[in-house]
Amino acid sequence: MARQQSRATIEAEIASLQRKLANLDKAQAERIGKIAVKAGLAGLDLTDAQLTEAFSELARRFRKEGAPEGREQSEPKPEGEGRSERKGNGTSEPDANPSGSSKKAHGGEE
């Protein structure tokens, strides 16, 4: 019969996983932030609430369009209540202009 791990060992593993999760969160936040700046969001005078709602709408859109079959999608939990899986096009890059509109329509140059 296998020997059980001690409480201290399990707590150390949990702490290690929490650090890994924090690092992943930081990397994803940086990635999303860079994309938001590239898309021109940094130049807009928006409140955090407005940005949160816009990102929530975007997440809902991708959950509906990109949901793998047989997998139920749930609404994101409010901040601090858990994590949701990454959804979207399955790559680390955003879809190239998924709306079909030009950059000029968003205040950028083509």
Side-chain angles (χ1 to χ4, degrees):
M1 186 166 170
R3 184 175 154 203
Q4 290 186 344
Q5 293 180 320
S6 71
R7 181 177 184 88
T9 301
I10 294 171
E11 287 173 346
E13 288 177 13
I14 291 170
S16 175
L17 290 172
Q18 287 173 331
R19 284 190 300 274
K20 287 180 182 180
L21 184 58
N23 289 338
L24 178 63
D25 286 345
K26 182 179 177 182
Q28 287 297 314
E30 289 175 3
R31 176 180 164 263
I32 291 168
K34 287 177 185 178
I35 292 168
V37 168
K38 187 176 179 180
L41 291 177
L44 302 176
D45 188 24
L46 300 171
T47 65
D48 286 358
Q50 289 172 310
L51 284 170
T52 299
E53 179 56 30
F55 279 119
S56 294
E57 288 175 23
L58 183 64
R60 283 190 294 272
R61 185 182 110 202
F62 279 101
R63 279 191 189 94
K64 289 178 185 174
E65 292 176 6
E69 287 191 35
R71 239 182 131 162
E72 187 173 320
Q73 303 299 314
S74 61
E75 288 296 312
K77 294 180 182 178
E79 191 172 326
E81 288 190 23
R83 298 179 41 81
S84 60
E85 291 182 32
R86 183 167 161 241
K87 305 291 182 239
N89 63 6
T91 68
S92 61
E93 296 299 319
D95 287 341
N97 204 2
S99 66
S101 63
S102 71
K103 287 184 182 179
K104 285 185 181 178
H106 299 289
E109 295 183 25
E110 275 193 41

